[in-house]
Structures are given as structure tokens and as C-alpha cells.
Amino acid sequence: MTTQLISTPTPTRTYPLVEFFHSLQGEGAFSGVNAFFIRLAGCTVGCPWCDQKETWSAKRSPRVALADITQLAADARPGIVVVTGGEPLMHDLDPLAQSLHQHNLRCHLETSGAYPISGTWDWITLSPKSFKPPLSNNYAQIQELKVIIAHPDDFQWAEAQAAQVAPEIPKYLQPEWSQPQSQTWIFDYILQNPQWRLSLQTHKYLGVR
Ligand code: SF4
């Protein structure tokens, strides 16, 4: 399958924006940190348990000017800005990351890694999906690995992913929300495999975005 980026010239740059909100980062190493989320539309990965299926079609979301997105983030004065999706790397993120950095914002990216990494980031969370695996070049560029566990077979996938990243990269296992039993599987697995850590979707437990 080809990996074609959706690109427009920078001065007229817009991105299909599903939503933006100011909350806490719920997951991974920055869990609990004041975060402004920019959720871009478009995803071809096709996870059956995806809780953001409304993001899959970029045509369903309004295209918002880069300057306006940046201003929304800057006005929130967050600890970090998290660019997520959908699969945000379906878009050329160079202009967005540059613009956010020009406002002295710390920029994080959450991606499946299925498309080439664009933009310069302070932190990249790779959440690889077996339905459309990451590009091999992307593993060396991340700061955090987060694998969703929806089935016991997913631990094998998680180990295969961990083998692709540097030993010092923190590695998280996160229960798939609609499969509560996955919490027990992960608990037991980490007790046997201490290189892994637990990531919970703490925002969902708090009942916030
Ligand atoms: Fe949903 Fe993310 Fe999977 Fe895309 S990569 S289908 S947005 S869970």
C-alpha cells in the first residue's frame, strides 16, 4: 500500500481538525501533565476496537488554518501540546510543529508510525498497530513505545515491537478500554516481564476528555 502525504503550501496551510481540548495527558510517561490536544482527522490503520472512528475520514472535519490552530494552543498556555488523531502523520506536520515551537510550546506527537515522520518533536509516542505496522525508519525516532493489549496474542506483537526500539526507550502496555480483562493480563505479564510498564487511560477513569 502506498503512503501518500496530504500536503498543501504553507501560507495557506490548513489541517482537518476533529477537535481540540485542554485536559491532562492521560497515558504513558506524561500521564497527569497539563496538555492541549489537537486531534487531526484521517486514519487508514483500521483498528477494529478504535474509539475514534469518527476521525477516519478527513472529509468529515473542517479544515482549520494553521495560524488558528496554533493560536488556540498558545492561548491555553499548556504544559505540552499533543498532536494526535486519527493518524496525524497522514499530513505533513512540519508547518504545524514549526508554528507551535515558534510560540514556545512543547510539542508531542502520538502516532501509529504507519507514515513517514514529519515535523520536529520534543516527544514522540509510538503506538504501533498490527493492522498497519510502523515504517521501519520510524522506530529510531521515538521516545516512548505504547502497545495496546486487546487480546492475549497481542503480547507477542508487543515483544516484536519492543525488539525494534532502543533498550532505554520506556515501554508501556495499555489495556484496550472495551476489554477490561486486558488489565489482568497486563498485570500478570508485567510481573513476569519487568521491562514493561503499565499505561492506563486515566482521563477515562476521571471522566474527563
Ligand atoms: Fe483508531 Fe488510532 Fe487505530 Fe487509527 S490508529 S484506527 S485512530 S486506534
Side-chain angles (χ1 to χ4, degrees), residues 111-125:
T111 177
S112 69
Y115 287 81
I117 291 174
S118 53
T120 302
W121 302 93
D122 300 298
W123 188 268
I124 298 177
T125 301

Side-chain angles (χ1 to χ4, degrees), residues 97-168:
Q98 263 182 39
S99 181
L100 292 168
H101 276 134
Q102 281 165 4
H103 284 72
N104 296 317
L105 293 163
R106 182 182 167 93
C107 301
H108 290 205
L109 173 67
E110 297 201 356
T111 177
S112 69
Y115 287 81
I117 291 174
S118 53
T120 302
W121 302 93
D122 300 298
W123 188 268
I124 298 177
T125 301
L126 177 68
S127 185
K129 308 297 188 318
S130 59
F131 314 102
K132 189 172 172 71
L135 301 180
S136 55
N137 287 346
N138 288 347
Y139 290 103
Q141 302 183 58
I142 67 160
Q143 281 71 48
E144 175 182 42
L145 177 69
K146 182 177 67 184
V147 182
I148 311 302
I149 301 295
H151 186 276
D153 290 348
D154 292 337
F155 291 109
Q156 203 175 348
W157 163 254
E159 292 294 352
Q161 296 306 295
Q164 309 264 357
V165 304
E168 66 272 17

Side-chain angles (χ1 to χ4, degrees), residues 49-209:
W49 37 258
C50 176
D51 61 359
Q52 299 293 336
K53 288 189 169 125
E54 70 277 10
T55 68
W56 288 9
S57 169
K59 292 182 183 154
R60 291 173 57 186
S61 297
R63 295 199 71 95
V64 179
L66 169 62
D68 293 337
I69 296 174
T70 305
Q71 198 58 53
L72 287 166
D75 288 349
R77 303 180 64 199
I80 58 175
V81 176
V82 181
V83 176
T84 184
E87 174 41 70
L89 286 177
M90 286 183 67
H91 312 282
D92 177 4
L93 298 181
D94 264 330
L96 179 57
Q98 263 182 39
S99 181
L100 292 168
H101 276 134
Q102 281 165 4
H103 284 72
N104 296 317
L105 293 163
R106 182 182 167 93
C107 301
H108 290 205
L109 173 67
E110 297 201 356
T111 177
S112 69
Y115 287 81
I117 291 174
S118 53
T120 302
W121 302 93
D122 300 298
W123 188 268
I124 298 177
T125 301
L126 177 68
S127 185
K129 308 297 188 318
S130 59
F131 314 102
K132 189 172 172 71
L135 301 180
S136 55
N137 287 346
N138 288 347
Y139 290 103
Q141 302 183 58
I142 67 160
Q143 281 71 48
E144 175 182 42
L145 177 69
K146 182 177 67 184
V147 182
I148 311 302
I149 301 295
H151 186 276
D153 290 348
D154 292 337
F155 291 109
Q156 203 175 348
W157 163 254
E159 292 294 352
Q161 296 306 295
Q164 309 264 357
V165 304
E168 66 272 17
I169 296 292
K171 301 170 186 68
Y172 289 88
L173 298 171
Q174 182 169 293
E176 199 281 295
W177 183 256
S178 66
Q179 175 56 275
Q181 217 187 334
S182 58
Q183 297 177 14
T184 307
W185 301 335
I186 291 173
F187 180 88
D188 292 342
Y189 193 84
I190 293 177
L191 290 190
Q192 299 299 319
N193 298 275
Q195 70 272 28
W196 290 99
R197 308 176 188 184
L198 171 66
S199 171
L200 292 175
Q201 293 180 293
T202 52
H203 53 294
K204 292 189 177 179
Y205 289 95
L206 289 172
V208 300
R209 301 302 316 275

Side-chain angles (χ1 to χ4, degrees), residues 10-77:
T10 299
T12 57
R13 171 72 59 182
T14 62
Y15 291 95
L17 185 63
V18 177
E19 61 176 351
F20 58 88
F21 56 95
H22 192 187
S23 184
L24 304 183
Q25 168 61 286
E27 307 171 2
F30 281 78
S31 179
V33 170
N34 176 327
F36 185 85
F37 288 83
I38 298 170
R39 188 183 304 286
L40 300 180
C43 187
T44 58
V45 178
C47 307
W49 37 258
C50 176
D51 61 359
Q52 299 293 336
K53 288 189 169 125
E54 70 277 10
T55 68
W56 288 9
S57 169
K59 292 182 183 154
R60 291 173 57 186
S61 297
R63 295 199 71 95
V64 179
L66 169 62
D68 293 337
I69 296 174
T70 305
Q71 198 58 53
L72 287 166
D75 288 349
R77 303 180 64 199

